[in-house]
Amino acid sequence: MINECQPTAVLLEEIKQLRRELAEANSIINAIKHGEVDALLISEEFNDQVYVLKGADHIYRVLVEEMQEGCATIAANGIILFCNKNFADIVKLPLNRIIGSSIYNLIKPQNTGDFSSFLSAHGGSFKAEYSLRTGDGFSTPVIMSAISITLGSDTFSCLVVTDLTNQRRSEQFLQMIFNQAKEPIIACDRDGRITQANPAAVAMLEEELVGNYFDTVVPLVRISDGTKFQLNQAIDSNSSYGIEVQHTQCNSPPLTLLINAGRFNADDEDTLIGCVVMLTDITDKRLLAEELARLDRLNVIGEMAAGIGHEVRNPLTTVRGYLQLFTRKSKYADDHEQLAIMIEELDRANLIITEFLSLAKNKSVELKPGNLNDTIQALFPMLQADAFRLGHEIHVDGGNTEVICYDDKEIRQLILNLVRNGLEAMATSGILTIRTYSENDKIILAVQDTGIGISEKIINKLGTPFVTTKEAGTGLGLSICYRIAERHDAKIEVKTSSEGTTFLVKFKVHHVGP
Ligand SMILES: Nc1ncnc2c1ncn2[C@@H]1O[C@H](COP(=O)(O)OP(=O)(O)O)[C@@H](O)[C@H]1O
Ligand SMILES: [Mg+2]
């Protein structure tokens, strides 16, 4: 007997199963409709089959829409068929004004030729740096890359545009620093050959730099040990201060430079691919340090002078008195000549002590308003007699100088010392000129000679007591001048060459009133 209930239950179960499968199929169809599925994998008895669906390019559309670069599709005649939002942002135009318009509206006339050759070639690829016209009347620098695609009988070009504005700005920024920097900056390749040099470097080094080796074209000597400087030393140096070197040029005084170098390494590696060298001119700083050291020495000596000068002078006076007494006595008649020499030597020692005493720092000065030209005029007969005795000429060129406050006695001493040195530095028929003039709020007293120039041996020690190149020199004249200048808040500058020397004493003008 057939059980009537059995097939009904089976059928109901089958209906349930079919409904479940139908729901599953519907949801797959919906996913396909919404572009959520790119491909289907169908398992068959012996092998699996992949069916790629239409609309599978959805993911690429999203990618193109969202990517950071500008994208566009161009027809062979240059009409823009599609572009993404970034492309519109780069050319600063709304999308609806770009699509359907010609790409040639955006490309500058000087570049259209290249691009149209690419479009009409119907194949291949293209890459160039262009400047695209923008909707606001300006332009944007870009890299344009394009490839040609043929679909059926039509050819399209896909364009990717990268905005270079930020890159260009930082390049311009660096270029501006490079060009405007007062410090010389030099870039070298890994072999030490100069690839770039900024205007400050060209001006300082006065050489053909680019293309030459740094070590050959910029000969430098290390100040610490006097050895030849090599670029590698700066690259490998761990010192954050740098390396002090001296650079000697013909026709100009040597420069003291501070060298710092930074290396360029290959990405993530310690392999040197080049370096940037920065040179700082610290000549003035060094001179200032030397000047301070000199003043310091003068101070010590001045204090010493003040301390012992008087103590030494008193016994000298006593001895001199006795010697004079002996010259009058008949029993020393045979020794007159020696006694005269002894007195002369004592007088010389006394003179040195007098000069030495004027180095004392706390020596008081009597500053009164006056015109330097008057002091020079008053001294002139004496100076002229000196010059004549030595066979030289002396000229005074008193310019328009304002009244300054100075101690007449001291400035006479200063002029006398400078003029004597000038006269002594000239062999025969020399010309010594004393000039006064105003320059930038300063009154200048210049003493110029046509002598042999200051010996290199002592040029850095000028003003140090007892430094002399003369057989009978005391080496105190200039120390006194520097000290007098210091007491007058004036500065002494020296210009010297084999053609002669000029000492410039620069006084400040203190304007009174509003
Ligand atoms: N006008 C000058 N020309 C050349 N050398 C100079 C001149 N003035 C100074 N000097 C040098 O500076 C040295 C120091 O000068 P100074 O202090 O006056 O001492 P002194 O004249 O007694 O030697 C001189 O010995 C000389 O070598
Ligand atoms: Mg002298």
Side-chain angles (χ1 to χ4, degrees):
M1 229 181 104
I2 297 163
N3 189 345
E4 290 275 282
C5 298
Q6 191 68 20
T8 316
V10 172
L11 284 174
L12 281 175
E13 191 47 45
E14 261 178 31
I15 288 170
K16 244 173 150 181
Q17 173 67 22
L18 285 171
R19 278 197 180 135
R20 264 204 304 272
E21 283 177 10
L22 186 62
E24 205 174 309
N26 270 337
S27 74
I28 291 174
I29 288 166
N30 273 336
I32 293 171
K33 273 189 194 159
H34 290 102
E36 291 161 14
V37 177
D38 287 343
L40 282 179
L41 182 72
I42 309 285
S43 295
E44 290 180 350
E45 205 174 337
F46 298 108
N47 58 345
D48 294 345
Q49 280 278 8
V50 177
Y51 293 90
V52 178
L53 298 177
K54 267 194 178 173
D57 58 349
H58 175 78
I59 192 166
Y60 302 105
R61 277 192 162 270
V62 174
L63 174 75
V64 169
E65 284 299 341
E66 300 300 325
M67 69 195 266
Q68 293 302 305
E69 263 73 21
C71 273
T73 317
I74 320 275
N77 61 0
I79 297 297
I80 303 171
L81 304 172
F82 158 83
C83 78
N84 69 355
K85 194 175 155 306
N86 262 307
F87 187 91
D89 288 347
I90 290 171
V91 296
K92 299 191 177 76
L93 282 169
L95 274 172
N96 58 7
R97 279 193 51 202
I98 303 173
I99 294 171
S101 69
S102 169
I103 186 75
Y104 296 115
N105 293 338
L106 303 174
I107 296 176
K108 291 196 168 172
Q110 64 265 35
N111 301 132
T112 46
D114 288 355
F115 196 69
S116 76
S117 312
F118 161 71
L119 284 188
S120 50
H122 299 295
S125 62
F126 173 88
K127 189 166 187 180
E129 280 191 33
Y130 275 179
S131 192
L132 289 186
R133 285 192 180 131
T134 52
D136 57 4
F138 295 98
S139 53
T140 302
V142 296
I143 291 184
M144 252 170 67
S145 320
I147 51 159
S148 203
I149 294 172
T150 304
L151 288 179
S153 58
D154 295 321
T155 306
F156 302 94
S157 295
C158 292
L159 202 65
V160 175
V161 174
T162 309
D163 188 345
L164 296 180
T165 308
N166 288 341
Q167 191 182 325
R168 282 288 146 79
R169 263 189 212 143
S170 36
E171 278 169 12
Q172 276 174 354
F173 178 67
L174 289 176
Q175 198 64 38
M176 198 181 72
I177 295 177
F178 187 72
N179 286 334
Q180 300 291 322
K182 294 280 169 277
E183 322 244 290
I185 305 174
I186 293 173
C188 298
D189 64 15
R190 73 168 86 182
D191 303 321
R193 203 195 311 252
I194 299 174
T195 53
Q196 284 191 70
N198 72 345
V202 176
M204 178 194 274
L205 301 168
E206 295 172 346
E207 295 281 353
E208 186 68 36
L209 296 173
V210 174
N212 288 316
Y213 288 97
F214 183 93
D215 286 337
T216 323
V217 85
V218 194
L220 302 168
V221 170
R222 284 170 72 110
I223 289 184
S224 57
D225 53 11
T227 57
K228 190 176 173 327
F229 168 85
Q230 307 275 336
L231 185 57
N232 285 346
Q233 296 167 342
I235 297 172
D236 299 335
S237 163
N238 293 324
S239 153
S240 57
Y241 174 69
I243 299 176
E244 275 189 30
V245 292
Q246 191 161 63
H247 180 248
T248 316
Q249 283 170 306
C250 34
N251 302 333
S252 40
L255 298 175
T256 307
L257 305 176
L258 191 63
I259 293 209
N260 280 288
R263 52 186 291 154
F264 291 130
N265 288 335
D267 282 347
D268 301 330
E269 285 171 45
D270 214 15
T271 319
L272 179 78
I273 54 170
C275 68
V276 172
V277 190
M278 260 174 285
L279 307 167
T280 314
D281 184 354
I282 54 165
T283 315
D284 288 346
K285 206 168 136 191
R286 279 284 151 265
L287 287 180
L288 205 69
E290 274 166 25
E291 169 81 2
L292 282 178
R294 199 181 54 74
L295 281 178
D296 220 35
R297 283 198 297 272
L298 260 186
N299 281 346
V300 173
I301 289 170
E303 278 162 31
M304 233 172 73
I308 63 171
H310 292 292
E311 304 307 319
V312 177
R313 199 186 256 173
N314 289 345
L316 285 185
T317 316
T318 317
V319 175
R320 193 182 191 280
Y322 278 118
L323 288 174
Q324 264 182 327
L325 195 72
F326 294 163
T327 40
R328 276 185 240 129
K329 289 199 173 172
S330 53
K331 70 169 169 174
Y332 296 116
D334 291 347
D335 305 316
H336 264 196
E337 205 181 315
Q338 284 83 351
L339 287 171
I341 293 173
M342 285 163 90
I343 292 174
E344 215 175 279
E345 289 296 303
L346 278 183
D347 284 347
R348 206 172 110 77
N350 216 350
L351 188 77
I352 293 177
I353 291 170
T354 311
E355 290 195 331
F356 210 46
L357 277 176
S358 68
L359 286 178
K361 197 185 175 197
N362 51 8
K363 185 170 179 267
S364 63
V365 281
E366 224 180 292
L367 302 178
K368 284 192 190 145
N371 193 316
L372 283 179
N373 290 333
D374 297 338
T375 305
I376 297 168
Q377 280 314 321
L379 262 181
F380 190 65
M382 188 172 134
L383 300 176
Q384 204 172 28
D386 262 1
F388 186 70
R389 192 167 46 81
L390 293 163
H392 303 311
E393 261 179 64
I394 187 160
H395 297 292
V396 174
D397 179 5
N400 202 4
T401 56
E402 291 178 55
V403 166
I404 52 168
C405 285
Y406 65 95
D407 183 316
D408 186 64
K409 237 175 102 200
E410 289 229 304
I411 295 303
R412 274 170 188 244
Q413 180 76 60
L414 175 132
I415 296 172
L416 206 69
N417 289 1
L418 293 182
V419 169
R420 288 236 161 102
N421 279 346
L423 294 174
E424 284 163 7
M426 301 189 288
T428 45
S429 319
I431 297 175
L432 189 128
T433 315
I434 307 174
R435 248 183 230 109
T436 55
Y437 53 94
S438 319
E439 189 184 86
N440 303 333
D441 251 19
K442 297 247 163 69
I443 301 290
I444 321 278
L445 165 72
V447 179
Q448 182 179 12
D449 63 57
T450 53
I452 48 166
I454 299 175
S455 150
E456 233 176 70
K457 276 186 272 167
I458 61 156
I459 188 84
N460 291 327
K461 292 189 208 140
L462 284 188
T464 307
F466 305 116
V467 168
T468 180
T469 53
K470 297 169 196 167
E471 224 166 89
T474 60
L476 286 172
L478 281 182
S479 319
I480 292 168
C481 292
Y482 277 97
R483 185 56 101 194
I484 292 173
E486 195 195 340
R487 284 196 279 262
H488 284 77
D489 200 14
K491 267 197 83 69
I492 295 185
E493 282 172 23
V494 192
K495 290 179 186 161
T496 188
S497 74
S498 54
E499 246 101 89
T501 304
T502 308
F503 276 86
L504 299 159
V505 190
K506 301 190 166 183
F507 295 89
K508 286 183 191 161
V509 179
H510 298 283
H511 292 290
V512 190

